[in-house]
Amino acid sequence: MTIYYDQFETWEGSFRELAVDLVGKEAIETLASSSFEFIEDAGDSVVRHTDIETASDAIYDWLQAHEFCVFHGTRLLPDEILSLQQLGLRPLVAADRRQRLTEILKTHPQWHHLEHRLAEVLEDVGPKNKQGRREGQVHFSLSRSGLANGFDHYLSHGSEFDQHVVQRLFGDQSGLHLLHSETVPIIVHVRIGGEELVRGAHPHFSYSDIIGMGEIPGIARVFLNSWAFKVANPSFDIAKLRTDCCMMQRVATPPERIIDLEKFGELDAK
């Protein structure tokens, strides 16, 4: 079964088995009768029955054993939707954005005066990393709710890269409405293995590096805290957390790993 983080029923059972093996049934029963103000406190209550390294290693094994769905939010031109279906998701290459941005921005009243600067701005925001640092990357969210209802600027105006380019080019916010009006909001549902999820969620310090710092790695904390808090509060809807848990990849996502291309609308937000 593919795990959807927001859909607790897709992972509650297997994670419960992990937790029982880790700390025992009595500790889980105590958890279920507890009350927590903060989600982090629920996760900490589990860790107190073991230790950071043991808990992190156990969750790592669980992550490795499962498949997950992650979400990429963007806005696309109609022909880009077809390309995505045929070629999959590809890491950002700044120079490749010139044609699409020309198509989108050509009706801006200042476009003909500033068009000659587009290549320079693309180079600055892209390879020269002067803003955003997105060259060669693709970003995903573990939580659809977090993407749709939390950090939803990807769905309102498209990629951060395009937004940075447009703002630098015109010197204001005037081009952002074209990024919105000329494109369609899409949530790309992507199937990913546990090892890829772990690496993508920790692009700068590895999972083991973070354990060595005396902390439970972020991706493990997300599942541990959410599971423990939900056990203590059965009526709580995890999707309402709007969890901001992102991952980054530097490789293309082939089309066969794309589960769905969801055309997103304001009424679709959950």
Side-chain angles (χ1 to χ4, degrees), residues 37-200:
E37 181 178 1
F38 301 109
I39 188 171
E40 296 84 1
D41 294 337
D44 287 342
S45 74
V46 176
V47 178
R48 279 197 294 271
H49 292 277
T50 176
D51 60 79
I52 287 174
E53 183 173 355
T54 302
S56 298
D57 288 345
I59 298 172
Y60 177 78
D61 290 341
W62 178 82
L63 291 165
Q64 288 277 84
H66 290 86
E67 178 181 86
F68 300 82
C69 182
V70 293
F71 305 90
H72 175 79
T74 190
R75 295 186 73 95
L76 300 174
L77 295 164
D79 61 335
E80 291 176 324
I81 297 176
L82 179 60
S83 175
L84 182 58
Q85 292 171 327
Q86 295 175 339
L87 303 176
L89 273 172
R90 291 171 291 176
L92 173 72
V93 177
D96 293 346
R97 310 294 273 203
R98 185 168 185 172
Q99 182 176 345
R100 87 175 305 265
L101 287 173
T102 296
E103 177 67 21
I104 291 170
L105 301 174
K106 63 185 180 183
T107 59
H108 190 284
Q110 296 298 314
W111 173 245
H112 292 297
H113 300 291
L114 297 172
E115 179 181 5
H116 68 282
R117 292 196 58 238
L118 180 58
E120 174 191 349
V121 173
L122 287 171
E123 178 76 9
D124 278 352
V125 180
K128 291 185 178 179
N129 285 323
K130 290 188 176 180
Q131 194 170 7
R133 296 181 180 273
R134 290 292 188 266
E135 181 78 358
Q137 303 173 17
V138 183
H139 288 250
F140 301 91
S141 170
L142 179 66
S143 169
R144 182 197 177 279
S145 178
L147 177 63
N149 302 302
F151 44 103
D152 60 352
H153 54 285
Y154 300 106
L155 295 168
S156 62
H157 294 96
S159 74
E160 284 189 2
F161 176 85
D162 288 353
Q163 294 181 55
H164 287 315
V165 168
V166 168
Q167 291 176 68
R168 283 176 65 96
L169 185 65
F170 297 116
D172 56 27
Q173 309 292 310
S174 63
L176 292 180
H177 76 282
L178 291 173
L179 291 178
H180 175 89
S181 64
E182 300 299 315
T183 56
V184 177
I186 297 289
I187 298 180
V188 188
H189 300 221
V190 172
R191 184 174 61 252
I192 190 170
E195 178 58 33
E196 290 176 281
L197 179 65
V198 169
R199 288 200 306 267

Side-chain angles (χ1 to χ4, degrees), residues 3-24:
I3 287 175
Y4 291 75
Y5 166 75
D6 291 335
Q7 299 174 25
F8 189 60
E9 66 275 10
T10 66
W11 59 279
E12 188 276 335
S14 61
F15 202 92
R16 174 177 288 274
E17 291 178 6
L18 174 162
V20 169
D21 289 342
L22 186 64
V23 299

Side-chain angles (χ1 to χ4, degrees), residues 193-266:
E195 178 58 33
E196 290 176 281
L197 179 65
V198 169
R199 288 200 306 267
H202 305 95
H204 305 299
F205 295 97
S206 73
Y207 194 95
S208 59
D209 286 341
I210 298 170
I211 296 174
M213 298 174 190
E215 300 177 13
I216 294 179
I219 189 65
R221 261 294 183 188
V222 166
F223 281 100
L224 175 62
N225 290 352
S226 301
W227 179 83
F229 194 74
K230 175 71 172 176
V231 168
N233 302 272
S235 64
F236 184 75
D237 182 0
I238 284 180
K240 292 181 179 178
L241 287 171
R242 301 181 179 183
T243 301
D244 184 1
C245 180
C246 298
M247 58 160 295
M248 181 264 284
Q249 287 195 321
R250 295 185 179 276
V251 297
T253 299
E256 58 267 24
R257 282 180 39 197
I258 295 176
I259 300 172
D260 186 28
L261 295 180
E262 174 190 353
K263 291 187 177 180
F264 179 79
E266 291 183 3

